[in-house]
Amino acid sequence: MWRTILLGVSLSLPSFADRIHAQHSPEPPRLLDDVRFLSDNNLQGRMTGSAGADSAAAYLARRFSQVGLQPAAGGWFQSFAVRREATGTRGPTGGAHLGKNVIGILPGHDPVLRNQTVVLGAHYDHLGHGGFGSLDPDSTGVVHNGADDNASGAAALIQVAARLAASPPARTVVFIAFSGEEQGLLGSAHYAKQPIYPLADMLAMVNLDMVGRLRNGRLIVYGARSAKEFPALLDSLNWYAGFDLKAQGDGYGPSDHSSFYAAKRPVLHLFTDLHEDYHRTTDDWEKVNYDGLKRVADFSLGLVTALANRTRPLTFLDQPPASPTQTATTTGSGTSGYGAYLGTVPDMTGTPGGVRLVGVRAGSPAEKAGLRGDDIITRIGRIETPDLQAMTDALRSHKPGESVEIVVRRGAAVTTLKATLGDRGG
Ligand SMILES: [Zn+2]
């Protein structure tokens, strides 16, 4: 993460950590190996333009290829010039350094949607031998390995690529390991200016930067207010993941997603928060929480899959909504919308013919009415609900306190339940 801006504000949001935890699949191969390789002393802190950064770039391209990605149009590497003063390095070599973004793609399976993309990014550069960017005053000349910042994100990027390649989604997914981040988001700014795939056809960009220090299950997701649909999507995914999720903020922040938000695209930044080793010589692989990193990778996989498969566009939000009630992580049919509150947690990945629920909130009107996970809502009152938008519209047409019939498919049966709707503060 870029040093010059630090965000420390955390909005308190409901946690479902004590409810359902995702089934942990077996330890993925090489997550630990990838972190260790990238944060080894051999790579000398991966300063942009250095031999160590070039080794890291070659390694990442090889790993992308191994897990089933194809090189981007134009190849695995996108180079950009870095002014010498920007790198903070000293030495006899003249001229500009070259930074290299590493780009692999997974073509989408849908003949139409494959022309659109979702970008998953993580920077792999770090601070080299300190001096510039380091928070250790006496550390100039000492290698800064940057295991959490951001070997963790790069390793998770490979992990998501491997899992997604086994079952490609509808849209094309572009995996980018950025360089030049620590000098001021240089690699991502370069890509945003000269995108290999047009940004107008990019549904969203997801950034993994510092995801290796999960503590107390707390995952921060910045940019949650950069698209109208994000809070509900994150909430739905978290129903299974069980993080203490802090989803908040617009898309500006001290990392690569900012470059895409500035181009007016929806963005998300996953982050396991700052720690005492941030930008110091002690950010080493031994301190990474690998179980936590795997959970973040799993969550990212679900997020990218949902984005790459969704049938509807996202609604970019330039100005965050003024009302603080709309900043919370809630469902479209929950407290964030307008009209009456039901308290369902819909499956945001979509189900034909209705809105499938992953669960209902404790004490909510939905729970009291007898709704439960796996129910598929097909009608609320007189309004058919083939999808979430229709369900949101249906709830908006009612007032808190009204009693409505809700028709659900439950297995082979069709059941009609009666719910007394709450208000959206409930
Ligand atoms: Zn950093």
Side-chain angles (χ1 to χ4, degrees), residues 141-176:
V142 182
V143 64
H144 289 54
N145 283 321
D148 182 37
D149 185 10
N150 184 34
S152 68
L157 188 67
I158 295 166
Q159 195 59 216
V160 174
R163 306 260 303 274
L164 214 54
S167 164
R171 287 184 182 79
T172 297
V173 181
V174 182
F175 296 83
I176 311 180

Side-chain angles (χ1 to χ4, degrees), residues 1-2 149 182 279:
M1 181 175 295
W2 191 21
D149 185 10
E182 302 287 8
H279 277 209

Side-chain angles (χ1 to χ4, degrees), residues 97 196 323 401:
H97 292 283
I196 309 291
S323 163

